């Protein structure tokens, strides 16, 4: 696959055409990043279907929001909801360091359901540390390689497998790789690069990551590409 670097400086300027009739299905919406994605998508006037293992955990109601009890590893729980959707966003994640197939098997299930429903667009969250950024200072690269990868080898390995599965799919996919996530508020000011590495890629708020997702659903520059984001 041929990668080219493309960079935007301010996230607040990232936007293409807007469509108030967009229908988006979101996985991992009860997570700390996913909830921001749901809120921003609703603010944009999008119809949102949130798939959650525990719908009660999503303490949010809105006329444009539909909450479905489902599990990314059990496609029969959400397959019917895929029909009529324009795009898929996955913020699925785990805080466990144990061996997992959540990302790889999860995305395989989603892709199969997308194919059946005729959906082409998907965006998935990953992590920038799955590949060591050569533009980071030596100390940060050392920590990523010798500490983070040792602690999170299992989820990182599965994230890379997820990325490979997406790369070989026939969808308009985007992998979003954020660095350390914080709970700071939304600013809309951040940087991203397509198929490249950012300098000083150290942290970004979950709200700003969600802003990137929602404001780049229709951005063809990010199609079939890996986007690194950071403040």
């Amino acid at each position: 696959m041929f990668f080219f670097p493309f960079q935007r400086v301010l996230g607040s300027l990232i936007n293409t055409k807007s469509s108030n009739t967009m229908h988006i299905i979101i996985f991992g919406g009860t997570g700390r990043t996913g909830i921001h994605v749901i809120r921003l998508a609703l603010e944009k006037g999008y119809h949102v279907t949130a798939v959650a293992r525990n719908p009660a955990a999503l303490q949010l109601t809105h006329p444009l929001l539909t909450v479905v009890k489902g599990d990314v590893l059990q496609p029969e729980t959400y397959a019917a909801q895929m029909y009529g959707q324009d795009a898929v966003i996955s913020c699925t994640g785990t805080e466990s360091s144990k061996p997992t197939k959540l990302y790889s098997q999860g995305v395989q299930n989603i892709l199969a359901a997308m194919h059946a429903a005729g959906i082409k667009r998907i965006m998935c969250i990953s992590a920038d540390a799955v590949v060591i950024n050569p533009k980071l200072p030596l100390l940060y690269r050392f920590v990523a390689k010798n500490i983070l990868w040792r602690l999170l080898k299992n989820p990182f390995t599965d994230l890379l497998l997820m990325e490979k599965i997406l790369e070989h799919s026939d969808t308009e996919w985007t992998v979003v790789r954020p660095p350390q996530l914080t709970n700071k508020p939304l600013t809309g000011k951040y940087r991203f690069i397509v198929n490249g590495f950012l300098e000083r890629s150290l942290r970004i708020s979950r709200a700003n990551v969600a802003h990137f997702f929602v404001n780049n659903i229709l951005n063809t520059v990010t199609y079939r590409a890996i986007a690194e984001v950071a403040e």
Side-chain angles (χ1 to χ4, degrees):
M1 183 177 201
F2 178 71
F3 290 116
F4 65 96
F6 184 93
Q7 185 168 356
R8 283 281 189 262
V9 177
L10 292 180
S12 57
L13 299 179
I14 304 170
N15 207 344
T16 55
K17 65 178 181 177
S18 177
S19 169
N20 289 333
T21 61
M22 285 283 290
H23 289 71
I24 304 170
I25 187 166
I26 298 174
F27 295 85
T30 58
R32 289 179 288 176
T33 300
I35 187 63
H36 288 291
V37 174
I38 291 175
R39 286 172 176 158
L40 290 175
L42 292 171
E43 288 177 10
K44 210 170 181 69
Y46 292 162
H47 295 262
V48 176
T49 298
V51 179
R53 284 180 297 177
N54 179 18
L58 187 60
Q59 298 179 354
L60 178 65
T61 58
H62 193 281
L64 298 178
L65 175 63
T66 300
V67 183
V68 177
K69 181 177 176 59
D71 187 330
V72 71
L73 297 178
Q74 298 176 337
E76 68 278 4
T77 62
Y78 59 82
Q81 304 297 327
M82 300 292 280
Y83 290 87
Q85 304 293 342
D86 298 304
V88 177
I89 292 178
S90 176
C91 293
T92 301
T94 177
E95 296 183 355
S96 172
S97 60
K98 295 180 180 179
T100 182
K101 292 185 177 180
L102 175 67
Y103 305 105
S104 59
Q105 187 60 58
V107 83
Q108 283 186 321
N109 292 342
I110 291 173
L111 289 172
M114 287 175 62
H115 179 75
I119 306 169
K120 299 294 290 186
R121 183 68 171 129
I122 179 170
M123 303 178 78
C124 294
I125 197 166
S126 183
D128 76 340
V130 297
V131 174
I132 308 301
N133 184 344
K135 293 187 177 181
L136 286 177
L138 180 60
L139 177 60
Y140 286 93
R141 281 181 280 148
F142 177 86
V143 170
K145 181 178 180 180
N146 295 283
I147 298 179
L148 281 181
W149 252 99
R150 287 185 179 181
L151 291 174
L152 302 173
K153 177 182 177 181
N154 291 316
F156 279 5
T157 298
D158 200 49
L159 279 170
L160 284 174
L161 181 55
M162 176 196 77
E163 294 186 6
K164 186 63 64 176
I165 292 169
L166 285 167
E167 180 183 338
H168 286 90
S169 74
D170 62 354
T171 61
E172 295 166 345
W173 57 271
T174 302
V175 168
V176 181
R177 288 180 180 170
Q180 179 184 355
L181 295 169
T182 73
N183 292 320
K184 291 184 177 181
L186 173 69
T187 65
K189 296 182 178 180
Y190 51 86
R191 300 165 294 134
F192 82 92
I193 191 168
V194 175
N195 295 328
F197 297 98
L198 290 172
E199 295 184 359
R200 306 181 309 282
S201 176
L202 304 179
R203 60 188 62 87
I204 187 171
S205 72
R206 292 178 172 86
N208 277 338
V209 173
H211 185 277
F212 176 84
F213 271 105
V214 174
N215 284 272
N216 285 277
I217 294 175
L218 300 174
N219 185 355
T220 57
V221 170
T222 68
Y223 287 9
R224 300 193 61 81
I226 295 172
E228 187 170 280
V229 294
E231 291 169 352

